[in-house]
Amino acid sequence: MTLGYQLFIALLLLLPGIVGWVCVRAGSTDDLLSPMPDRQGSTTTLAAIVLFACLGHLLGIHPVKAA
């Protein structure tokens, strides 16, 4: 497998986590036009994305359904 394909698969598997993190960020701010960004290299952000991805996969919420 090439690096590009591996990166695509990793991002596809993390997609439910990224969507969950974006929803939490959008719902937790009062000013949607200029929200305060997370610190660079935030382990809290990484943990939230992985947690949301695991929950999304466990609950069956996945962007690509197997045929």
Side-chain angles (χ1 to χ4, degrees):
M1 277 196 275
T2 63
L3 178 64
Y5 184 70
Q6 291 173 349
L7 180 63
F8 174 73
I9 294 298
L11 289 174
L12 187 66
L13 290 173
L14 286 175
L15 186 62
I18 295 169
V19 169
W21 175 77
V22 167
C23 290
V24 167
R25 286 282 294 165
S28 67
T29 183
D30 294 333
D31 187 12
L32 288 176
L33 296 179
S34 60
M36 189 171 108
D38 289 337
R39 287 185 307 137
Q40 198 169 19
S42 172
T43 55
T44 306
T45 300
L46 180 62
I49 290 173
V50 170
L51 179 68
F52 282 128
C54 290
L55 287 174
H57 287 292
L58 287 174
L59 294 174
I61 303 168
H62 198 275
V64 178
K65 295 288 184 182

